[in-house]
Amino acid sequence: INELKQAALQKINDLKEQNAEAEESADDIDLTRSAYPISLGTRHPLTIVKNQIIDIFQRMGFTLYHGPEIDDDKHVFTMLNFAADHPARDMQDTFFISQNPNDVTKNVLLRSHTSGDEAHYMESHEPPIRVLCPGRVYRNEAISARAHCFFHQVEGLYVDKGVSFTDLKQVLLTFAREMFG
């Protein structure tokens, strides 16, 4: 029985040595992990397209500007010459946060277009101006398969001496070629 015990212990020790040598020679392979790498995430398609648009316009010399999503009537409507009775100023089209019946320029609202960003930019910058204003905008619309109450918009403003519709056409053609091939 002692000889059997010694043979068994010898076999166990040999197997332990072989296992230790195999672990040292292995490249720390984890046999429990998946066979292929799993990506942890990707950019949202809207972010990818927005970044492509920004990159194209920045290569054409446009400066990127982000304005506030919660803004005042002054920047969203008044500075852009929207008439006091313009339909965009109605409750059914715009999300108002607070309204001041005595002075509409003090109304607070969710921006309905990124043109208000351009108004903010023009307050602190003199021409020449070449600015791109991307962002989320809000409209009080029924949600459907084709429409939502918020969407993404990109606007550009180019103000300088000698700028004409030819320049506008060239900027738009360059953008279309770069974006769509």
Side-chain angles (χ1 to χ4, degrees):
I1 292 180
N2 281 338
E3 286 178 19
L4 183 59
K5 178 183 172 187
Q6 291 299 324
L9 286 174
Q10 183 62 40
K11 186 69 171 171
I12 291 171
N13 289 333
D14 290 345
L15 289 172
K16 281 184 180 179
E17 274 184 42
Q18 288 176 358
N19 192 23
E21 289 173 12
E23 284 181 3
E24 288 175 12
S25 66
D27 294 322
D28 294 328
I29 296 174
D30 181 3
L31 299 176
T32 61
R33 72 178 193 151
S34 62
Y36 51 89
I38 297 173
S39 300
L40 296 178
T42 61
R43 295 274 180 221
H44 191 279
L46 287 175
T47 303
I48 293 169
V49 171
K50 181 183 84 170
N51 289 342
Q52 289 173 342
I53 292 168
I54 290 169
D55 181 58
I56 292 167
F57 278 96
Q58 283 184 324
R59 283 188 275 130
M60 287 191 280
F62 283 77
T63 302
L64 184 63
Y65 180 77
H66 291 285
E69 288 185 33
I70 299 174
D71 210 345
D72 55 24
D73 186 286
K74 174 186 170 189
H75 290 93
V76 175
F77 297 125
T78 305
M79 290 181 73
L80 301 170
N81 294 326
F82 278 72
D85 61 347
H86 193 281
R89 287 184 162 175
D90 294 340
M91 283 295 286
Q92 68 264 19
D93 288 334
T94 301
F95 287 111
F96 286 95
I97 295 171
S98 69
Q99 287 188 294
N100 186 335
N102 299 328
D103 186 1
V104 295
T105 61
K106 294 185 179 176
N107 290 341
V108 177
L109 55 125
L110 295 177
R111 68 178 175 197
S112 56
H113 49 83
T114 57
S115 301
D117 297 357
E118 296 167 2
H120 281 283
Y121 189 85
M122 287 188 290
E123 280 184 319
S124 59
H125 296 82
E126 293 291 323
I129 293 174
R130 194 184 288 198
V131 66
L132 186 72
C133 301
R136 191 170 26 227
V137 296
Y138 304 86
R139 304 258 174 93
N140 192 3
E141 296 183 10
I143 297 173
S144 69
R146 295 183 302 134
H148 201 275
C149 61
F150 74 87
F151 55 94
H152 297 265
Q153 182 178 24
V154 178
E155 279 193 44
L157 177 67
Y158 186 8
V159 178
D160 199 359
K161 290 180 182 175
V163 174
S164 67
F165 277 106
T166 305
D167 298 299
L168 171 65
K169 182 179 177 183
Q170 191 59 48
V171 166
L172 294 176
L173 281 173
T174 301
F175 168 74
R177 283 190 194 114
E178 291 284 325
M179 189 72 184
F180 306 112

